[in-house]
Amino acid sequence: MNKLILLLTIPVIFIGLAACSSESDNSDTKTQNKVQEEPSPETELTPQKGPNGKWLANPETHQAIDSMKVLMGAHDIEADSVAYLRLNKKMSNQFVYIYQNCTMKGEAHDSLHAFLKPLNYHIQHLIDWDTASKHNSFMKVNDILAVFDEKFE
């Protein structure tokens, strides 16, 4: 059953990625050719400053990130695999919502996508079979979400 849900979740993510990437410029092409085991959210961003010196993110992005924070806050790290599967599905839906409603352009757009790559990586690993890996991804997702407000407004 887990494999079936995983197979159904992954295409949804790719549809969301395709929707946004078709609107973006091709500046992401250079980074796609680099192989990374795990993307890093700590990568320094060169700010395209808003009033507070942070990247300007569209309201839909803020809404989805806030929803993800609520979902993560309500989840027990010691929950069973079925609960992690539900969390993965809900988090993936929010992730796709960001991509489907992407209206950002330029450096802010590229920086948001750089920020979202490690988030997506760890959301997908919330359903790992290995409990330690699942817990690690849970903590990483929380860490990444906590940094959002420091980098975006």
Side-chain angles (χ1 to χ4, degrees), residues 9 12-17 19-20 58-73 85-102 112-113 115-116 119-120 123-124 126 141 145 148:
T9 303
V12 172
I13 298 299
F14 288 115
I15 289 169
L17 290 171
C20 187
N58 63 340
E60 294 83 1
T61 297
H62 283 282
Q63 179 185 356
I65 294 292
D66 289 344
S67 294
M68 288 182 184
K69 289 177 181 178
V70 169
L71 290 168
M72 292 296 290
L85 190 59
R86 285 189 205 115
L87 177 63
N88 168 270
K89 182 173 174 39
K90 290 176 183 177
M91 295 289 286
S92 294
N93 287 341
Q94 292 301 316
F95 190 85
V96 169
Y97 178 79
I98 292 171
Y99 275 90
Q100 288 177 338
N101 293 283
C102 182
L112 176 64
H113 283 259
F115 178 85
L116 292 173
L119 180 61
N120 183 45
I123 287 171
Q124 296 314 308
L126 289 172
V141 168
L145 291 174
F148 179 80

Side-chain angles (χ1 to χ4, degrees), residues 47-62 104 108 112 147-153:
Q48 175 183 0
K49 299 196 186 255
N52 295 321
K54 299 177 185 179
W55 293 104
L56 300 175
N58 63 340
E60 294 83 1
T61 297
H62 283 282
M104 297 169 63
L112 176 64
V147 173
F148 179 80
D149 291 330
E150 296 172 14
K151 298 190 180 284
F152 296 91
E153 62 179 69

Side-chain angles (χ1 to χ4, degrees), residues 27-82:
S27 64
D28 243 6
T29 305
K30 294 175 189 170
T31 58
Q32 288 175 354
N33 294 331
K34 295 180 182 176
V35 177
Q36 291 183 347
E37 286 184 21
E38 177 182 327
S40 172
E42 294 82 32
T43 302
E44 282 299 313
L45 303 175
T46 307
Q48 175 183 0
K49 299 196 186 255
N52 295 321
K54 299 177 185 179
W55 293 104
L56 300 175
N58 63 340
E60 294 83 1
T61 297
H62 283 282
Q63 179 185 356
I65 294 292
D66 289 344
S67 294
M68 288 182 184
K69 289 177 181 178
V70 169
L71 290 168
M72 292 296 290
H75 185 80
D76 178 11
I77 194 169
E78 298 300 328
D80 64 13
S81 292
V82 174

Side-chain angles (χ1 to χ4, degrees), residues 132-147:
S133 177
K134 187 179 343 192
H135 289 177
N136 180 56
S137 284
F138 180 84
M139 298 304 291
K140 292 282 190 175
V141 168
N142 273 327
D143 292 345
I144 293 166
L145 291 174
V147 173

